[in-house]
Amino acid sequence: MSGKQVKQLDRVIIRFAGDSGDGMQLTGDRFTSESAVFGNDLMTLPNFPAEIRAPQGTLPGVSSFQVHFADHDILTAGDAPDVLVAMNPAALKANLGDLPKGAAIIVDTHDFTKRNLDKAGYDVNPLDLLGDANDPLGEFQVTPVDLTGMTVEAVKEFGLSRKDAARAKNMFALGLLSWMYGRPTDPTISFLQKRFAKVADIRDANITAFKAGWNFGETTEAFVVQYEIKPAPMAPGTYRNITGNLALAYGLVAGGVQSGLPVFLGSYPITPASDILHELSKHKAFGVTTLQAEDEIAGIGAAIGASFAGSLGVTTTSGPGIALKSEAIGLAVMTELPLVVVDVQRGGPSTGLPTKTEQADLLQAMYGRNGEAPVPIVAPQSPGDCFDAALEACRIAITYRTPVMLLSDGYLANGSEPWRIPELVDLPAIEPGFATAEDLVEDPKDPEKKVFQPYARDPETLARPWAPPGVAGLEHRIGGIEKADITGNISYDPANHDFMVRTRQAKVDRIADSLPPLEVDDPSGEAKVLVIGWGSTYGPIGAGVRRVRKAGFNVASVHLRHLNPFPKDLGEILRRYDKVLCPEMNLGQLSLLLRGKYLVDAIGYNQVNGMPIKAAALAEAIAGLVGEAEGVEIDLTATAQEASQ
Amino acid sequence: MSTSTELPFPGLRSGVELVPTNDQPQTGKEYTSDQEVRWCPGCGDYAVLKAVQGFLPELGLRRENIVFVSGIGCSSRFPYYLDTYGMHSIHGRAPSIATGIATAREDLSVWVVTGDGDALSIGGNHLIHALRRNVNMTILLFNNRIYGLTKGQYSPTSEAGKITKSTPMGSLDHPFNPVSLALGAEASFVARTIDSDRKHLTSVLSAAAAHRGTSFVEIYQNCPIFNDGAFDAIKNPDTKADAIIPLVHGEPIVFGNGSKGLIRDSETGGVKVALVADVGEDAILVHDAHRTDPTTAFAISRLTDSGYLNQSPIGIFRQVERPTYDDGARGQISSAQQAAPGERQDRLAALIGGGDTWTIV
């Protein structure tokens, strides 16, 4: 340690922001890994434009990565950054509005040229006004540093072009921030060694820039304080940092291992789901086949074919892809084949906001098909939870012979958190239970003959037999036309159709028998308000509820993993509370389902701006409702500052 | 209900020649399901069904290792009438479903039955991509040049100007030539045959089944209800000699009772019809279906008169070796598995426990 002052903090939110080409995602990712290895709890929020390279230096081209790390258990990536690292004028301007008073800004002065200031829409260089009476950054603690210039200087021995040398500025910034928050440097150095193993000069320049950034912090007088955020207490176990898409891909691999089935992914690239395709394509050694299909429909078609042939068929996409796959999902409902359909939701409708998050595909997942076509729905609540949710989707698909919708979203997909690596013995075994020749029964029309009944049902699950080709005697035909009960033959009989529609619904309803009771978080047992959510709102809801409790009030919460069927005890739980608040990143889709099914006056808290719900604003809404229910006024401002998220 | 975690198929290699065989003699009856066939009287589909039911036993494969997949349309009812495994899927998507089946299972003989609307309209994308990938399957395209199941609208192979319910003043669409389309997608096996010529149909099906890769077979099939007589020129005993240009590998391409033949057209680089008497036998093009370059096959396919079929080459246009998608996909899986020995469980633990980790005690 230098002779600098060390200040203890319990948590910090840092946002790295720069041009799309500045490597901000990598920088944030590295800082996150360092923090994870250090032992902080953390959550991240990457935020980038849909364009690969929007015009350089412009506001639409700004890419950012926010990381919230703490010495205690946290639930969100944070509402507002304490520290902004801005690599150019556009990054400063685009992010300024999110900063609270007093936030620290470290700004790379190098790109504050007339041209770049113009592009960002600055008439005057705000850095020239620092300390003036009309300083537009007067509310913040601004430290201007020529990060680029110092980087170029630090790496000049490697003889790179000026452009290449300047590209290492993100590592200089990372080094500086790593010093400031006492992050371990070894993981990043070994990462850079591996990443640029084949280009020695680039590798050395990045490592040198990273170290130079650290040393700059250590020696300069511009920074007098170093901060310490102690490791967070966590349950015993081995941890890693993981994004939702990676955890989801691992969950699908685990689904194959736990069921003993080959996994077959048919997919078409789409943001923000493509990473799952990329990841699964690396795992051929697990018997995972990945087909990059010609379109969304072919992706699911191939997956259905593979399921018919005895694989675990999977298709991954986002909302627009689900729209295209709807007819094929209906076919999987009718043919009653196992299929996992992953929807990593993004802002909609149509192309919408490809890189932003939303939860507005719930009703599409629930009802977006012709006819009565019930599909079970499972949703993960955090990045690491995507693993368990994917495995659960596999379990339901295989056990009940049905397509299952797995609803992740852009925030979970790209966000990350420390994940306790599960012990394999704790994972559920999944039984494919293929039909065999022993399933042949006496032909009702001819006692001499044995027949296979592809639409006979398991009395408990109502699942039909899964009979992949290759077994003599089990030859059968399935398809999209209504099936006759038991025989599976084409049937246009009115009574049969009515029966089969009800049976398919009953089969999905039966899944509820296999679900554990809901865990209601109601420590006092005296709450009058219940906050209910699903998917990635878990973090903001948990953080909002904590704030209200911290202010001394009772509030309960419950989070749904299963959206169809709902757990059996949900209705009773909803009725236990005077008021039910349902925060969602849509206009009230879960609220509609709850109101429809349970006749409960679920009150919506709805936000559809492409970003996660902010805990502070949600806490206000919860407090308002609790106040109404308790007949008191609740003012959260007193406790807001110290409330952790 | 008994259960088993074992895959119900033995570890046999894939592909038509690798599909488990049956050493017992089979009959067409065994391949006939108990479902009542419900095509219109006189439909060409009956003839094709009969031919397939008669032909499948000759393949000598185990019946349980044969899968028929179809889309939507009259012809797509086909799988219900065969006692094999089958799926009657959704409109146009059969090639994609069959791609999944063929890629997932090396031991299945996979067949797609489709029609001109199913394969060339709504499913055009899947068709060309299946052909491009060269997935190990046989696609039978029943071309009746009309929409039958929806009762008589023009199809992508109907002649321009066709008057139908949806085109009272005549269709404005230019028709596809399915063989040209398949060759354009670089299909490795492309053939055309006729529902009423059982012998030719069977010989083409045999060659298609033996081919490794996607075999594309266009079958001219008469719809007696909505497009009767669409193939009269090539079926009428008085005209067919001049209408059918028979393609036989290794033989000169002659027709019209030997009076006409195909020659190179130096002007266009294609091929054209000439009188043998005018050009001499030596000038007649000898059919080479195995030529890797598809140019000549394509040029021959252009001799199809897509209007009234007064002239149409029939036979195998192209049959070349090309790596198949499914063999390649399984090959990658198997080399990855060889490079990663050990139990899947242990490897899964290593996978999810990889990366930068830390332990809390």
Side-chain angles (χ1 to χ4, degrees):
Chain A
M1 284 271 164
S2 56
K4 297 196 177 187
Q5 184 192 345
V6 176
K7 199 172 158 190
Q8 295 283 337
L9 293 175
D10 62 350
R11 64 185 190 94
V12 178
I13 301 161
I14 299 178
R15 186 183 291 179
F16 297 93
D19 196 61
S20 301
D22 285 346
M24 289 300 100
Q25 300 304 318
L26 175 68
T27 310
D29 211 43
R30 287 317 313 159
F31 191 89
T32 303
S33 285
E34 292 173 2
S35 301
V37 170
F38 181 75
N40 293 132
D41 195 13
L42 58 87
M43 291 287 279
T44 67
L45 174 63
N47 189 9
F48 41 87
E51 294 76 17
I52 303 302
R53 288 278 185 279
Q56 206 177 358
T58 61
L59 293 172
V62 173
S63 168
S64 73
F65 188 104
Q66 182 165 313
V67 50
H68 179 192
F69 57 106
D71 69 359
H72 56 275
D73 145 51
I74 51 170
L75 295 165
T76 76
D79 287 358
D82 305 309
V83 182
L84 172 69
V85 179
M87 303 301 282
N88 68 6
L92 178 65
K93 187 157 199 180
N95 289 286
L96 210 53
D98 294 339
L99 299 184
K101 240 184 207 175
I105 303 174
I106 297 167
V107 58
D108 182 2
T109 57
H110 192 268
D111 278 348
F112 279 68
T113 57
K114 167 95 175 61
R115 192 176 133 80
N116 281 313
L117 287 162
D118 284 350
K119 277 197 221 172
Y122 277 117
D123 298 332
V124 195
N125 184 350
L127 301 182
D128 289 345
L129 303 174
L130 289 179
D132 286 8
N134 57 347
D135 179 359
L137 304 175
E139 293 184 338
F140 311 106
Q141 315 163 43
V142 183
T143 313
V145 187
D146 185 2
L147 294 172
T148 306
M150 285 190 288
T151 304
V152 171
E153 186 64 22
V155 305
K156 68 177 175 208
E157 60 177 295
F158 303 107
L160 297 173
S161 68
R162 192 182 159 78
K163 198 175 153 210
D164 277 347
R167 287 188 62 178
K169 67 183 171 188
N170 62 331
M171 286 300 116
F172 190 97
L174 178 63
L176 174 60
L177 272 290
S178 298
W179 168 81
M180 200 177 290
Y181 294 96
R183 308 285 93 179
T185 53
D186 290 350
T188 292
I189 291 170
S190 65
F191 167 84
L192 291 170
Q193 276 164 346
K194 259 188 252 165
R195 167 118 171 187
F196 298 113
K198 289 186 185 145
V199 270
D201 50 352
I202 303 281
R203 173 196 65 200
D204 295 343
N206 274 286
I207 293 173
T208 303
F210 176 64
K211 288 181 176 167
W214 174 285
N215 293 335
F216 173 70
E218 182 93 343
T219 50
T220 183
E221 288 175 12
F223 300 102
V224 291
V225 186
Q226 207 180 5
Y227 300 93
E228 186 177 24
I229 297 92
K230 294 217 160 82
M234 293 191 201
T238 300
Y239 287 78
R240 65 183 286 177
N241 186 51
I242 200 159
T243 64
N245 272 347
L246 185 60
L248 197 152
Y250 284 176
L252 295 172
V253 174
V257 173
Q258 294 302 104
S259 61
L261 294 174
V263 173
F264 186 104
L265 173 71
S267 182
Y268 188 79
I270 184 169
T271 302
S274 302
D275 285 341
I276 303 170
L277 165 64
H278 304 162
E279 183 61 32
L280 286 177
S281 67
K282 294 179 198 164
H283 299 303
K284 297 183 169 56
F286 286 96
V288 178
T289 300
T290 53
L291 169 80
Q292 182 177 313
E294 60 269 22
D295 59 27
E296 296 281 0
I297 298 170
I300 188 171
I304 290 173
S307 277
F308 179 66
S311 293
L312 172 55
V314 180
T315 189
T316 50
T317 188
S318 186
I322 295 293
L324 286 163
K325 292 179 199 292
S326 298
E327 188 192 20
I329 296 171
L331 176 67
V333 168
M334 198 65 147
T335 53
E336 302 191 40
L337 287 169
L339 180 72
V340 176
V341 181
V342 179
D343 177 0
V344 185
Q345 301 165 93
R346 66 190 213 186
S350 188
T351 308
L353 303 173
T355 58
K356 312 294 181 199
T357 196
E358 204 159 284
Q359 291 181 303
D361 293 349
L362 176 57
L363 293 183
Q364 178 178 226
M366 188 80 188
Y367 297 123
R369 289 166 295 284
N370 61 307
E372 294 286 352
V375 171
I377 304 170
V378 173
Q381 65 185 29
S382 73
D385 187 51
C386 288
F387 179 88
D388 292 327
L391 200 52
E392 172 68 348
C394 295
R395 177 190 76 85
I396 293 174
I398 293 169
T399 309
Y400 294 87
R401 318 313 197 199
T402 177
V404 175
M405 199 75 79
L406 178 57
L407 285 185
S408 179
D409 69 38
Y411 174 52
L412 297 176
N414 294 316
S416 67
E417 66 172 349
W419 176 54
R420 189 153 70 96
I421 300 163
E423 298 289 338
L424 293 198
V425 293
D426 297 335
L427 303 183
I430 304 169
E431 175 60 67
F434 287 127
T436 69
E438 290 171 34
D439 289 304
L440 293 171
V441 298
E442 192 177 282
D443 186 346
K445 287 177 284 183
D446 178 0
E448 300 288 295
K449 268 176 66 185
K450 290 253 182 184
V451 291
F452 177 55
Q453 299 179 324
Y455 277 76
R457 290 179 191 277
D458 180 293
E460 190 188 328
T461 59
L462 297 183
R464 75 172 191 91
W466 187 9
V471 182
L474 268 54
E475 292 86 358
H476 66 286
R477 275 69 55 194
I478 56 175
I481 297 186
E482 182 61 281
K483 302 279 152 294
D485 182 33
I486 312 281
T487 65
N489 290 329
I490 289 180
S491 168
Y492 301 114
D493 177 62
N496 177 75
H497 178 57
D498 187 89
F499 176 79
M500 293 299 274
V501 165
R502 291 174 196 278
T503 302
R504 284 186 288 267
Q505 181 64 52
K507 181 179 78 165
V508 170
D509 293 343
R510 287 278 174 101
I511 295 167
D513 291 348
S514 71
L515 306 182
L518 281 168
E519 286 176 24
V520 182
D521 177 30
D522 186 0
S524 67
E526 290 177 6
K528 292 183 174 160
V529 172
L530 175 74
V531 186
I532 183 168
W534 66 283
S536 74
T537 49
Y538 173 76
I541 290 173
V545 163
R546 277 186 193 176
R547 285 177 184 232
V548 174
R549 287 186 189 150
K550 215 156 198 165
F553 297 89
N554 294 322
V555 57
S557 71
V558 69
H559 210 72
L560 298 177
R561 164 174 313 300
H562 298 94
L563 284 309
N564 191 33
F566 285 129
K568 289 177 144 182
D569 51 352
L570 179 58
E572 184 271 318
I573 290 167
L574 291 171
R575 284 181 205 105
R576 239 189 266 163
Y577 294 91
D578 292 355
K579 289 183 187 296
V580 175
L581 182 69
C582 184
E584 293 180 271
M585 295 187 289
N586 59 43
L587 291 182
Q589 301 193 3
L590 176 61
S591 305
L592 183 71
L593 295 178
L594 295 177
R595 285 165 165 257
K597 184 159 172 80
Y598 300 108
L599 301 178
V600 160
D601 181 23
I603 301 164
Y605 176 85
N606 306 98
Q607 173 191 304
V608 275
N609 63 1
M611 299 297 285
I613 289 174
K614 290 187 173 175
L618 177 56
E620 293 292 343
I622 298 171
L625 205 59
V626 171
E628 251 180 67
E630 307 275 1
V632 293
E633 281 279 318
I634 300 179
D635 181 8
L636 291 180
T637 47
T639 47
Q641 282 307 309
E642 68 201 61
S644 56
Q645 304 180 357
Chain B
M1 193 172 294
S2 68
T3 59
S4 163
T5 51
E6 293 298 308
L7 293 175
F9 40 87
L12 289 162
R13 296 220 37 226
S14 74
V16 169
E17 77 269 26
L18 299 167
V19 174
T21 52
N22 185 345
D23 51 11
Q24 300 297 313
Q26 301 176 340
T27 63
K29 193 160 175 284
E30 289 173 55
Y31 280 89
T32 307
S33 79
D34 62 354
Q35 296 299 293
E36 184 193 351
V37 183
R38 291 189 190 170
W39 287 311
C40 307
C43 177
D45 290 355
Y46 283 99
V48 187
L49 178 63
K50 273 281 167 227
V52 169
Q53 284 168 340
F55 152 80
L56 284 176
E58 290 172 23
L59 279 178
L61 302 174
R62 284 189 353 203
R63 190 159 51 91
E64 62 270 25
N65 287 73
I66 299 175
V67 183
F68 274 77
V69 185
S70 64
I72 293 292
C74 293
S75 61
S76 286
R77 298 297 178 91
F78 204 90
Y80 289 115
Y81 307 138
L82 283 175
D83 198 5
T84 64
Y85 284 86
M87 193 192 296
H88 175 210
S89 72
I90 41 178
H91 207 10
R93 318 303 172 197
S96 69
I97 288 163
T99 294
I101 296 172
T103 307
R105 288 284 295 275
E106 56 188 13
D107 60 332
L108 301 179
S109 171
V110 181
W111 297 70
V112 168
V113 177
T114 182
D116 40 317
D118 194 52
L120 300 173
S121 259
I122 194 167
N125 199 32
H126 308 305
L127 177 71
I128 58 174
H129 288 278
L131 297 174
R132 168 176 73 85
R133 289 194 186 100
N134 204 26
V135 182
N136 208 25
M137 63 168 104
T138 300
I139 299 176
L140 308 181
L141 191 160
F142 292 31
N143 182 8
N144 58 14
R145 308 169 67 208
I146 197 75
Y147 281 4
L149 199 62
T150 51
K151 301 191 173 151
Q153 301 83 3
Y154 72 103
S155 93
T157 53
S158 297
E159 63 276 16
K162 190 171 191 69
I163 307 277
T164 71
K165 283 179 187 161
S166 60
T167 50
M169 293 176 72
S171 145
L172 302 173
D173 285 21
H174 182 74
F176 264 140
N177 174 335
V179 168
S180 294
L181 184 79
L183 288 167
E186 298 188 41
S188 60
F189 182 105
V190 180
R192 175 184 287 149
T193 183
I194 308 168
D195 59 356
S196 51
D197 186 345
R198 177 146 177 195
K199 196 171 152 219
H200 190 264
L201 176 62
T202 304
S203 75
V204 167
L205 292 182
S206 299
H211 178 72
R212 192 154 194 84
T214 308
S215 302
F216 175 83
V217 182
E218 179 190 8
I219 303 170
Y220 283 158
Q221 173 253 324
N222 193 50
C223 172
I225 305 297
F226 296 109
N227 205 20
D228 197 24
F231 306 98
D232 270 1
I234 60 167
K235 290 189 176 190
N236 185 327
D238 298 336
T239 56
K240 73 179 190 184
D242 279 320
I244 294 177
I245 306 175
L247 304 175
V248 181
H249 177 70
E251 291 191 12
I253 307 171
V254 290
F255 65 111
N257 297 317
S259 66
K260 295 185 216 169
L262 301 190
I263 61 167
R264 293 273 175 200
D265 183 346
S266 56
E267 202 180 318
T268 63
V271 295
K272 65 180 177 185
V273 176
L275 293 171
V276 179
D278 289 351
V279 297
E281 283 185 7
D282 290 350
I284 302 298
L285 193 64
V286 174
H287 184 50
D288 181 2
H290 302 327
R291 193 191 294 267
T292 314
D293 186 285
T295 310
T296 306
F298 186 81
I300 294 170
S301 79
R302 301 313 298 158
L303 296 175
T304 313
D305 159 25
S306 294
Y308 298 95
L309 290 190
N310 289 322
Q311 175 181 293
S312 180
I314 303 287
I316 299 169
F317 289 73
R318 184 172 199 237
Q319 181 178 9
V320 297
E321 290 293 316
R322 187 152 76 74
T324 73
Y325 178 88
D326 48 316
D327 285 337
R330 287 186 296 263
Q332 288 189 347
I333 297 263
S334 127
S335 36
Q337 285 176 332
Q338 276 161 23
E343 290 294 313
R344 281 216 296 183
Q345 284 270 351
D346 297 338
R347 288 188 282 116
L348 176 62
L351 174 70
I352 65 177
D356 292 334
T357 63
W358 67 98
T359 300
I360 311 268
V361 286

